[in-house]
Structure formats: structure tokens, C-alpha cells
Amino acid sequence: MGIYCYNSFMRVISKRTLQDFWLTHPDAMHPLAGWYTEATKASWLSPQEIKSQYKTASFLKDNRVVFNMGGNKYRLIVKINYPYSTVYIRFVGTHAQYDKINAEEI
């Protein structure tokens, strides 16, 4: 039986990755900062809970989630450890950059 942290907020590692990205893509600041704020106030226990909040989110193997940001101009890939309420940012980039990576392995 796993250890579950019910009613604890998500810890996002790391905001710095988002900040570094929006320094070179200033129009990404508002959607990424908004996502960060929402994520740190969430207590996601399953992909279904994320899907209810983010209808366009895509779910990949190994608890990876792809978020469309800024009108689908940008993509954010995270890996979530649900039992420990931790979100690891694996990739943030333009849609074109996203098309060049393997989202299931990054």
C-alpha cells in the first residue's frame, strides 16, 4: 500500500525553469505563471482531477502530462508523483520545439 498525502498542495519543481523560459518568451509569462499558481494550490490525486481542470491536457506514460499554454503556442510537460504531491517540470517550449522531442522520454 502506498503512502498518499491527502489534502496537501502540489509542490512544483522548479519555478525557475518557467521563469527562465519566459525571459526569452515574454508572452508566455502570464499563462505559465497562472498555471504555476493553480498547480501549487491544487491537490491532484489522479489524472482525472487534472483533466477536470485542464480539458486539453494530454496524458502520457509514466505520469507525464502535457499542457497546452498560451493558446497552444507553448507546451509544458510535467511528470507527477501523485503520492508525494510533487510536480517535476520536464520541458517547456514552443509548439515547434515540442514537435522535435520525444515527450514520453524527456
Side-chain angles (χ1 to χ4, degrees):
M1 184 170 171
I3 299 171
Y4 289 92
C5 300
Y6 293 103
N7 296 322
S8 65
F9 296 120
M10 303 307 284
R11 193 168 145 224
V12 178
I13 301 173
S14 107
K15 185 177 184 180
R16 178 62 171 243
T17 303
L18 301 177
Q19 292 170 324
D20 289 347
F21 183 76
W22 74 53
L23 284 175
T24 58
H25 298 84
D27 61 326
M29 180 179 176
H30 182 71
L32 290 173
W35 175 88
Y36 178 84
T37 298
E38 291 173 3
T40 57
K41 292 179 180 177
S43 55
W44 298 319
L45 297 174
S46 69
Q48 293 79 14
E49 291 183 8
I50 295 172
K51 192 67 168 179
S52 70
Q53 186 174 359
Y54 293 96
K55 304 291 185 221
T56 62
S58 301
F59 298 86
L60 309 175
K61 67 179 182 178
D62 201 23
N63 290 323
R64 287 178 180 3
V65 184
V66 180
F67 295 94
N68 299 320
M69 309 298 296
N72 205 21
K73 185 175 180 181
Y74 303 107
R75 293 286 177 97
L76 173 65
I77 302 173
V78 302
K79 182 175 179 177
I80 300 179
N81 183 324
Y82 294 100
Y84 291 96
S85 301
T86 305
V87 178
Y88 300 93
I89 296 173
R90 305 296 296 155
F91 170 86
V92 60
T94 65
H95 197 133
Q97 290 168 328
Y98 171 83
D99 288 341
K100 295 177 183 176
I101 64 162
N102 184 339
E104 292 189 349
E105 292 182 2
I106 197 157

